[in-house]
Amino acid sequence: MLAPETSDPPGSPWWRAVNERLLRDKAEAALLCAGAPGVAGAPSVECWVDFIRSPAPRRWYRAHNASIVAGYLGHEDLAAAERQVERFMMNVALLRVLFTHAMLAEPRLALGRLVPLMADPRHRNVQLFLDLGRSFPPEYPVTAPVEETVLDEHALARVLDTV
């Protein structure tokens, strides 16, 4: 889905745009933290600066999700041009990173003391919530219908998506 426009078939303009936003925000924040002159060009960059200066899982999610949401909202036109199944996966991916962030920010609302083990982005357990491996086919564009894509997903992931 991230293949260049010149590939056959080309990747998704939306996925590339959102990922470019994430990478650009992180790079700008790294430059600012390294002493480059200027100010953050967006609130999402400020979140990355906060994370770089004081790394913590909550700050990482805040920065990551600020960049993803900014990219998501900034490229609604590209999302609208995607197939229904791709738009479904975009929404599921966004829902999962926001849910995982919320669990980490307010553990009492979800899994209590298990949250640091389950939602910390530095640990492999976070894949239980964020893994879309079976939903994302190895090729883009996705041609399967939404219903088939949902049924191909891991059972735990399906439960989390419907809770």
Side-chain angles (χ1 to χ4, degrees):
M1 70 185 141
L2 295 176
E5 294 174 21
T6 57
S7 294
D8 186 27
S12 164
W14 184 86
W15 284 105
R16 274 196 314 275
V18 172
N19 278 282
E20 285 171 7
R21 173 63 188 255
L22 174 67
L23 294 173
R24 188 180 64 244
D25 286 354
K26 289 170 67 174
E28 183 181 338
L31 289 169
L32 290 169
C33 288
V39 296
S44 50
V45 175
E46 293 172 7
C47 293
W48 281 110
V49 168
D50 289 345
F51 169 73
I52 291 169
R53 289 187 176 148
S54 184
R58 286 183 187 183
R59 286 189 191 92
W60 182 87
Y61 276 110
R62 183 172 176 251
H64 176 271
N65 292 348
S67 292
I68 295 298
V69 169
Y72 195 98
L73 295 175
H75 299 288
E76 289 180 275
D77 58 325
L78 296 176
E82 294 282 352
R83 295 177 181 191
Q84 181 185 18
V85 66
E86 281 292 330
R87 291 191 313 270
F88 170 77
M89 286 192 283
M90 293 171 189
N91 290 330
V92 169
L94 180 63
L95 173 71
R96 288 185 185 177
V97 295
L98 294 175
F99 174 73
T100 306
H101 181 188
M103 280 195 324
L104 194 63
E106 290 295 334
R108 292 172 292 145
L109 298 177
L111 301 173
R113 287 185 270 180
L114 292 176
V115 168
L117 297 172
M118 302 302 290
D120 189 325
R122 298 170 294 183
H123 298 292
R124 292 183 66 189
N125 293 334
V126 76
Q127 291 176 351
L128 292 172
F129 298 104
L130 301 180
D131 183 24
L132 287 169
R134 290 176 65 184
S135 291
F136 285 102
E139 296 180 4
Y140 176 87
V142 178
T143 56
V146 172
E147 297 79 12
E148 185 178 314
T149 303
V150 170
L151 292 175
D152 279 347
E153 187 55 88
H154 300 286
L156 177 60
R158 281 198 314 266
V159 169
L160 291 172
D161 291 341
T162 57
V163 171

